[in-house]
Amino acid sequence: MNELRLLQSESPAAGFDGIISDLESGGFPKRGHKMRTLSPEEAERLAKDPVVVSDFKQQKLEKEAQRNWDLFYKRNSTNFFKDRHWTTREFEELKACREQNPLYDPQRCKVFQCDLTKDDLLENVPPDSVDVATLIFVLSAIHPEKMHLVLCNIYKVLKPGKCVLFRDYGLYDHAMLRFKSANKLGENFYVRQDGTRSYFFSDDFLAELFLSAGYKQVVNEYVLRETVNKKEGLCVPRVFLQSKFQKPHKET
């Protein structure tokens, strides 16, 4: 099985050569739910949040995206990501794949770095050759205007009938609600203090994004869970979007 594992990189925000793990911890999620319902206070606050980041700063953030992610991974190389083993639990297609396998064979596995918004995957991957592609906490780091380019790039190397497996931040996740208005770049799009950015997906937006690139929807659902900090007595709602989109079979 040929797998294209697209993972947020130590290089560009749209580059892929590292491993990024889920930010959740413990327990099993509630899947298939509708969008999280906001409290009246949360809804009112979001409605009042203007886009206050200037065009100049937004362009600067886009230009410095690679540098900001480089610094992020430099600071968090050993104390941020943990293997939660949830990928093989949630995506059966990946059960046959194992990371850091001692049987790694460079004749059968090719590792490379690229910027999916600029670099053509066909330079490293033959057309219609990939059995499964994973986009796990990747697309949220890319500017919404460039997401379509990423999906079209992957489409070219995916085999007809095979899928992209997607998991990322969902609309109204706790992380989104924590942002101040000064961090808002656009609708559902925010910048952190370190300059890295994050988009929060609705199921409708994601479906439209994939369908416009030629894919068919297989699964597209919210994953709701609660993360508990027992030490501080806090319980926060986490919202993720987990999906599968298929490249249609070629018509005969």
Side-chain angles (χ1 to χ4, degrees):
M1 182 175 76
N2 297 325
E3 177 196 359
L4 179 64
R5 184 168 298 195
L6 304 169
L7 302 163
Q8 192 171 314
S9 170
E10 294 183 358
S11 292
F16 307 89
D17 67 352
I19 296 175
I20 186 167
S21 70
D22 192 358
L23 302 183
E24 55 188 83
S25 61
F28 287 88
K30 301 175 182 178
R31 297 174 54 185
H33 283 237
K34 296 181 180 179
M35 185 186 303
R36 181 192 166 211
T37 302
L38 295 175
S39 69
E41 294 79 11
E42 291 171 334
E44 182 180 3
R45 183 170 63 82
L46 283 180
K48 292 181 178 179
D49 277 351
V51 179
V52 298
V53 178
S54 68
D55 289 340
F56 174 79
K57 184 175 180 180
Q58 296 219 31
Q59 292 175 16
K60 187 172 184 289
L61 288 168
E62 180 67 18
K63 184 178 180 180
E64 297 178 350
Q66 174 176 339
R67 174 180 176 273
N68 291 332
W69 280 109
D70 282 345
L71 292 174
F72 172 87
Y73 280 99
K74 185 177 181 179
R75 290 191 302 269
N76 298 286
S77 59
T78 60
N79 62 348
F80 188 75
F81 299 112
K82 296 181 180 179
D83 187 355
R84 302 295 184 186
H85 306 288
W86 67 266
T87 51
T88 52
R89 183 187 75 221
E90 297 293 336
F91 295 120
E92 294 182 359
E93 293 88 342
L94 299 182
K95 287 183 178 180
C97 302
R98 291 293 183 268
E99 301 161 7
Q100 299 178 345
N101 195 309
L103 300 179
Y104 169 79
D105 183 354
Q107 300 299 318
R108 302 183 61 187
C109 181
K110 183 175 183 179
V111 179
F112 62 94
Q113 176 179 300
C114 75
D115 182 339
L116 282 176
T117 68
K118 299 177 182 178
D119 303 329
D120 191 345
L121 279 175
L122 293 176
E123 295 177 1
N124 289 284
V125 185
D128 299 337
S129 65
V130 173
D131 291 282
V132 59
T134 58
L135 279 175
I136 299 176
F137 294 97
V138 169
L139 212 57
S140 58
I142 297 171
H143 195 288
E145 293 180 358
K146 296 184 177 181
M147 292 177 183
H148 182 78
L149 299 175
V150 173
L151 300 185
C152 290
N153 206 354
I154 297 170
Y155 190 92
K156 293 183 292 186
V157 299
L158 196 64
K159 288 181 180 179
K162 301 304 181 179
C163 291
V164 174
L165 309 182
F166 175 93
R167 173 114 158 185
D168 219 318
Y169 299 110
L171 191 63
Y172 306 145
D173 178 53
H174 177 70
M176 175 180 174
L177 300 180
R178 290 180 61 189
F179 281 113
K180 307 297 183 183
S181 60
N183 299 97
K184 189 172 183 179
L185 300 172
E187 185 176 6
N188 307 329
F189 192 37
Y190 295 84
V191 60
R192 303 180 182 91
Q193 294 298 321
D194 61 5
T196 60
R197 298 168 299 176
S198 185
Y199 187 87
F200 296 84
F201 293 90
S202 69
D203 54 354
D204 289 340
F205 176 85
L206 188 70
E208 182 178 351
L209 196 63
F210 271 92
L211 296 178
S212 68
Y215 296 84
K216 293 173 59 178
Q217 179 176 307
V218 179
V219 177
N220 188 26
E221 61 186 15
Y222 290 102
V223 177
L224 307 183
R225 64 177 302 128
E226 292 180 340
T227 298
V228 179
N229 186 325
K230 295 182 179 179
K231 183 177 180 180
E232 298 184 12
L234 297 176
C235 180
V236 298
R238 301 308 311 267
V239 183
F240 305 101
L241 198 59
Q242 184 164 304
S243 313
K244 297 179 186 180
F245 290 90
Q246 182 188 59
K247 178 177 179 177
H249 289 280
K250 293 181 179 179
E251 296 183 2
T252 57

